[in-house]
Amino acid sequence: MRPSQADTMTTRTPDDLIDTIYEAAFIPALWPSLLDDLSARTGGWGGMLFTATPEAARWTASAATSDFFTDFLANGWMERNPLVERGVKRDHAGFLTDLDLFTIEEIEAEPMYRDMRRLGGGWHLGTAIAVPNGDTLVINIERRHRTGPFGRDHADHLDAFRPHLCRAALLAARQSQARIDATIDNLELLGLAAGALTRTGKLLASNALLANAMPTLIEDGPSRIRLRHKPSDDLLVEALATSGNREAGVPGRSIPIPASAESPPSILHMVPMAGASRDLFSRASVLMVVTTLAIGTAPDARLIRGLFDLTPAESKIARDIATGMSIPEIALRHGLSGHTVRTQVKAIFSKTGVHRQSELSALLNGIPLL
């Protein structure tokens, strides 16, 4: 028998819960316990808050259901979730149950429901909330299948809190954007061109110095930024394609951009934004910083290795080239054959995006000015 609303109310008063909702707008760590409270009020197992976005999923969940939702995502249901698809299309300013969106026959025939029952869940109560960055936030309360479906009384009960959840989401989105804008503006004060990217490379925000680099160095495309230098852009595509998981985020990477008739040699640095993988209200995952190089003194081999992900042997050879040594001289210095050195030089070219030793030397000699 399904628990009644009265049986599942928590000890936290409605006013206390509303206060917590607004606190969660500024303290993201409060969302899991808040989801627990919303779940307990409806006889649920736990809850999840996630973004319905074409990019990588951002989510948080109650402690009780965190493993359940991890398995749910691992099985690929986030990308093909008929429940979210129908719920978003319904455009209902309130919570909806499974039976508001599906018939019993459709539920029994839907593979996603069968898999969720296997994982321990099976019934849902959710709502979709649009936020200013274009994403849709979904609050989903989960119930074990054996408990029975949610009823309209449960949805009506949570509807009383939905306006506060919407306002909290709006505040959180604005807070996230303000943090990003402040970071980028501070870098401009330091003389650095910077911008914020999504995990897939779409430019979300930029400072004036980065805008000045467009379009001679960087082009702002509809789906992602593009580097005018094709080999460097290929390295950018590779870096975006090897983005880490939700926990790891996008790995750091430095991409060289050789000089052109319009711009000096530069390096594009991709820096993971701390905590961005857990920020439900911002698409920003990568801080992009562009530094312009000038001829200076060849850098330490360890710095070269870190910037371009070279092996220890490759970084030493790269530095030797930067100091003006020829391949025979490098081979003699390290006790290697000329063929071995040439093979390693080709690998260095591939990782740094250059094609000639002179280009590599010019690129590396500017690094100490970073």
Side-chain angles (χ1 to χ4, degrees):
M1 185 175 76
R2 187 174 74 243
S4 68
Q5 178 177 303
D7 292 337
T8 57
M9 292 288 285
T10 64
T11 56
R12 183 180 289 174
T13 68
D15 287 342
D16 288 340
L17 178 57
I18 291 170
D19 288 343
T20 303
I21 289 173
Y22 288 110
E23 288 177 19
F26 301 96
I27 309 174
L30 293 178
W31 281 105
S33 63
L34 177 58
L35 291 167
D36 276 332
D37 204 319
L38 294 174
S39 175
R41 289 173 177 273
T42 55
W45 175 28
M48 180 187 191
L49 175 65
F50 65 93
T51 54
T53 171
E55 298 181 356
R58 304 187 300 278
W59 62 278
T60 190
S62 301
T65 52
S66 182
D67 290 343
F68 166 81
F69 286 118
T70 298
D71 292 338
F72 172 76
L73 293 173
N75 290 345
W77 291 116
M78 185 64 78
E79 294 78 15
R80 47 193 175 98
N81 189 326
L83 185 66
V84 172
E85 182 180 353
R86 289 198 184 189
V88 171
K89 286 183 177 178
R90 185 75 168 265
D91 195 24
H92 174 68
F95 280 82
L96 293 168
T97 71
D98 298 280
L99 298 179
D100 290 323
L101 299 171
F102 294 91
T103 65
I104 289 294
E105 292 74 21
E106 287 176 321
I107 289 174
E108 293 302 321
E110 173 55 52
M112 186 197 74
Y113 276 92
R114 290 197 296 270
D115 199 36
M116 297 197 83
R117 291 175 188 176
R118 179 185 64 82
L119 295 172
W123 296 111
H124 314 86
L125 176 64
T127 189
I129 300 171
V131 289
N133 66 7
D135 281 348
T136 298
L137 285 175
V138 177
I139 296 176
N140 176 72
I141 305 301
E142 191 75 17
R143 177 182 271 185
R144 294 188 183 277
H145 181 256
R146 64 175 179 267
T147 308
F150 289 102
R152 281 308 313 167
D153 57 329
H154 299 114
D156 293 341
H157 178 60
L158 292 192
D159 279 348
F161 300 100
R162 189 179 185 276
H164 304 289
L165 291 166
C166 291
R167 284 190 283 271
L170 176 63
L171 288 171
R174 288 179 175 172
Q175 179 81 354
S176 294
Q177 188 61 45
R179 287 196 298 267
I180 293 168
D181 291 341
T183 299
I184 293 172
D185 290 344
N186 288 338
L187 289 171
E188 183 175 352
L189 293 175
L190 296 174
L192 296 173
L197 303 177
T198 67
R199 191 181 294 266
T200 57
K202 183 175 178 60
L203 184 64
L204 296 176
S206 63
N207 60 25
L209 294 178
L210 184 64
N212 291 339
M214 300 178 184
T216 56
L217 195 69
I218 300 170
E219 295 178 344
D220 185 11
S223 58
R224 68 169 180 87
I225 63 163
R226 296 180 183 277
L227 303 181
R228 293 288 298 274
H229 182 248
K230 180 63 168 58
S232 298
D233 191 62
D234 291 340
L235 293 175
L236 173 62
V237 171
E238 178 185 321
L240 294 171
T242 55
S243 297
N245 58 28
R246 185 173 76 95
E247 298 297 330
V250 177
R253 184 76 178 266
S254 295
I255 299 173
I257 308 173
S260 69
E262 301 171 306
S263 59
S266 305
I267 295 182
L268 184 152
H269 304 277
M270 298 172 65
V271 183
M273 297 190 73
S277 63
R278 294 188 179 275
D279 190 344
L280 297 160
F281 304 93
S282 172
R283 290 184 179 182
S285 294
V286 183
L287 180 65
M288 176 181 69
V289 179
V290 179
T291 54
T292 301
L293 305 182
I295 299 302
T297 304
D300 183 86
R302 290 172 297 178
L303 176 58
I304 298 174
R305 178 185 178 188
L307 282 174
F308 302 110
D309 196 26
L310 303 181
T311 66
E314 290 169 351
S315 64
K316 292 176 182 177
I317 290 174
R319 190 185 187 285
D320 288 342
I321 290 175
T323 61
M325 294 180 66
S326 66
I327 286 181
E329 290 172 332
I330 295 172
L332 180 62
R333 177 180 181 180
H334 296 287
L336 302 171
S337 68
H339 174 74
T340 298
V341 173
R342 290 187 182 90
T343 299
Q344 291 179 321
V345 168
K346 287 181 180 179
I348 295 168
F349 286 171
S350 175
K351 293 179 180 180
T352 58
V354 300
H355 297 89
R356 293 184 292 274
Q357 292 181 48
S358 59
E359 292 177 355
L360 179 63
S361 179
L363 179 67
L364 299 182
N365 278 306
I367 288 176
L369 298 182
L370 294 182

